[in-house]
Amino acid sequence: MTVHLYPLANGLSTDHPVPGLPFVDDSHLPLDEGPEAIEAVGRNKGEGMWGRFDPNRSSGGWHAFTTDPLNHDLGWSIRHHPDHGRTVLLMSDDDTSSLHSQWSGGALLFRAGGYWWDGTAWYRPGQVWDPVEEHHERRKARAAVTVTAADMLDRRADPARAHVGKVTAFNLEAPAPENWGDHLALWAARHREQENALPLDQCVVDVSTPELTGPQLLGVPEMAELGGITASTLRAYISRGNSEVPQPQASVGGRDQWARAVADDWVDARQRSHEGITATMSAGDPDNLSPGAAEIRDRFAEDFQHTLWGRPDVRKRWILRQRNETSVREVSDALAWNVAASLDRILPVDILSPTIRGAVLNNFAEAIDLDGDVSEADEEKDWWRLYLNRPVARMLDWYIRHHPSSAHWCIGEIMREARDRWNIPPEETIRTLRTALSLDGELSEEARTTYFTLLAPRDDID
């Protein structure tokens, strides 16, 4: 889940000013001395101070943050790229680590409520999760154009009407400067004085795309309608800081506005979320149950109806004089037995058994890959390195406790395949399974010992 972050000001040494934000003097930071020096400003320097840097393996360079040494409520976030220069932002100190995490990917900078640039292309805010790549899908902004400082500088701007703020006097409640063009001109003049300064036509300020034009912007009512919720619900989400709602791309007359493309991605993300998938799969069911759960409900409702009404010996229990605790207990026991005897109708053994067998053998394969090649002539092999991870061990334990005879057959198949594929002795397979279940299972030690004794090859039994 992406956290919404709002920078407070541009550092004067930034190469990529965020439009609308004031500029603050950052000369007390060792920005030219490398990330280690930036980290050292705040790391372990005092209570409430911290700093960190990391290399960026995704797109090059590094990113770092530190608590400001003069004002511990504020912090600095720096993203450096060998070709595209650096971004220097003044943040709330509580937000620096979150931005640090967001900079660990390919993003060099963010604009327009989460649109981001990787040095080549612009992408919409990440919302739809890609489980294969383990990050949000990269969805390109349509016909996006990078707006540079050279594009935005106005000859009418007067640097004399602007000023550079001090971190010690920074006011979080102060409104954004109305004459930002003058502030940009002052920054540009100072920027040109820097040694090896990035050319102004390479200093990224903003993004322009048809997605962000007026006709493509939606207010709260339109956004809510698109998401299938009421406007009041959406406003409640926003007031609670629900980060599943994307940042607005603009504010018009004090009202939040979202790009239609961003809203469409939000709807897509909602549909793919846990709640969205549950709602989609339960659509039409009166109890909002998934198809499988609805089938179980309907099956047992029919069974219970037969037990409670279809059997005369049970139906007579509804006569008032027959209605007592003992009678109710007998009926509830009958219903409970019906459920317990129907486990295979809830989770069929014919699909459970091969699934567990495959999971166990996959754990064995992972252990063997980590331990090197297996040789048939290697009689001193350290088979104790075999393992089951916790979910597989718990599933095998559940299988044994609920379907002991089917699990017995399944474990026999595991022993046979482990021997045929890797020359693992059956007793080593049993030892591995017993050890895993002793750590993560619910079988008692006595039951576990008895059960696996029945699985051991006969020549291993004393």
Side-chain angles (χ1 to χ4, degrees), residues 41-42 60 67 215 282 295 360 385-386 396 439:
V41 170
T67 303
S282 63
E295 290 174 7
V360 171
R385 297 181 185 273
L386 294 174
L396 179 60
L439 296 172

Side-chain angles (χ1 to χ4, degrees), residues 6-12 20-26 28 68 70-76 88-93 95 163-177 180 183:
Y6 299 92
L8 304 175
N10 295 295
L12 188 60
L21 294 185
F23 291 88
V24 172
D25 183 16
D26 55 18
H28 59 300
D68 186 89
L70 306 177
N71 185 342
H72 295 177
D73 292 331
L74 302 176
W76 295 91
V88 183
L89 295 174
L90 183 66
M91 309 282 295
S92 166
D93 192 49
D95 290 341
H163 69 279
V164 176
K166 297 291 185 181
V167 71
T168 52
F170 187 79
N171 181 4
L172 279 72
E173 304 301 326
W180 194 74
H183 289 261

Side-chain angles (χ1 to χ4, degrees), residues 10 13 38 56 103 110 123 131 136 189 269 309 405 429:
N10 295 295
S13 300
I38 296 171
N56 191 287
W103 266 339
F110 299 90
Y123 299 86
H136 292 105
W309 193 254
S405 60
T429 296

Side-chain angles (χ1 to χ4, degrees), residues 94-367:
D94 292 335
D95 290 341
T96 53
S97 61
S98 297
L99 180 57
H100 192 79
S101 298
Q102 293 184 18
W103 266 339
S104 64
L108 296 181
L109 49 83
F110 299 90
R111 295 292 186 271
Y115 277 74
W116 59 278
W117 184 65
D118 68 353
T120 303
W122 285 93
Y123 299 86
R124 294 197 293 275
Q127 297 187 80
V128 180
W129 185 254
D130 184 337
V132 177
E133 299 297 334
E134 293 190 328
H135 58 61
H136 292 105
E137 291 182 1
R138 294 187 171 197
R139 298 190 172 186
K140 280 190 176 183
R142 182 163 52 92
V145 175
T146 299
V147 181
T148 69
D151 298 325
M152 293 196 70
L153 283 173
D154 188 339
R155 292 182 180 179
R156 296 169 296 180
D158 184 0
R161 293 195 298 259
H163 69 279
V164 176
K166 297 291 185 181
V167 71
T168 52
F170 187 79
N171 181 4
L172 279 72
E173 304 301 326
E178 295 182 0
N179 58 328
W180 194 74
D182 297 333
H183 289 261
L184 181 66
L186 176 59
W187 164 83
R190 298 286 187 89
H191 181 77
R192 292 188 185 98
E193 298 172 356
Q194 296 178 13
E195 185 178 354
N196 300 319
L198 196 69
L200 293 179
D201 61 1
Q202 296 179 31
C203 295
V204 178
V205 176
D206 212 345
V207 57
S208 176
T209 166
E211 296 179 6
L212 297 173
T213 57
Q216 293 297 315
L217 296 179
L218 307 176
V220 167
E222 298 87 357
M223 178 83 163
E225 181 179 3
L226 199 63
I229 58 178
T230 65
S232 60
T233 298
L234 179 57
R235 290 190 182 95
Y237 287 168
I238 296 170
S239 66
R240 292 198 300 265
N242 187 329
S243 60
E244 292 180 359
V245 179
Q247 282 183 268
Q249 277 61 65
S251 178
V252 180
R255 298 177 182 273
D256 290 338
Q257 302 277 295
W258 290 266
R260 173 61 187 257
V262 173
D264 287 338
D265 288 348
W266 173 62
V267 172
D268 193 5
R270 280 173 56 83
Q271 291 172 341
R272 299 191 194 197
S273 69
H274 174 79
E275 294 79 8
I277 292 172
T278 299
T280 298
M281 294 302 292
S282 63
D285 183 77
D287 298 321
N288 294 319
L289 293 176
S290 64
E295 290 174 7
I296 292 174
R297 176 202 59 202
D298 295 344
R299 181 186 304 138
F300 283 109
E302 184 67 26
D303 289 348
F304 293 168
Q305 170 70 14
H306 172 73
T307 300
L308 297 173
W309 193 254
R311 290 173 47 185
D313 61 318
V314 176
R315 187 170 58 196
K316 69 181 182 180
R317 306 291 176 87
W318 305 124
I319 300 173
L320 186 59
R321 65 175 181 273
Q322 296 281 354
R323 204 179 307 165
N324 52 55
E325 183 178 356
T326 300
S327 295
V328 171
R329 170 60 64 185
E330 290 174 354
V331 172
S332 62
D333 286 348
L335 297 178
W337 179 90
N338 190 306
V339 174
S342 302
L343 282 176
D344 191 49
R345 298 165 66 187
I346 299 174
L347 185 57
V349 169
D350 62 331
I351 60 175
L352 178 62
S353 184
T355 301
I356 291 178
R357 184 174 74 248
V360 171
L361 292 171
N362 183 66
N363 277 184
F364 282 13
E366 290 175 348

Side-chain angles (χ1 to χ4, degrees), residues 361-410:
L361 292 171
N362 183 66
N363 277 184
F364 282 13
E366 290 175 348
I368 290 170
D369 286 344
L370 291 173
D371 200 26
D373 294 334
V374 179
S375 170
E376 293 185 4
D378 188 0
E379 297 182 359
E380 302 299 324
K381 187 67 183 176
D382 291 332
W383 293 118
W384 58 268
R385 297 181 185 273
L386 294 174
Y387 67 87
L388 296 188
N389 61 37
R390 191 166 187 263
V392 174
R394 292 182 64 186
M395 191 70 247
L396 179 60
D397 178 82
W398 185 95
Y399 192 23
I400 292 172
R401 288 186 291 110
H402 291 81
H403 301 285
S405 60
S406 297
H408 187 280
W409 176 87
C410 177

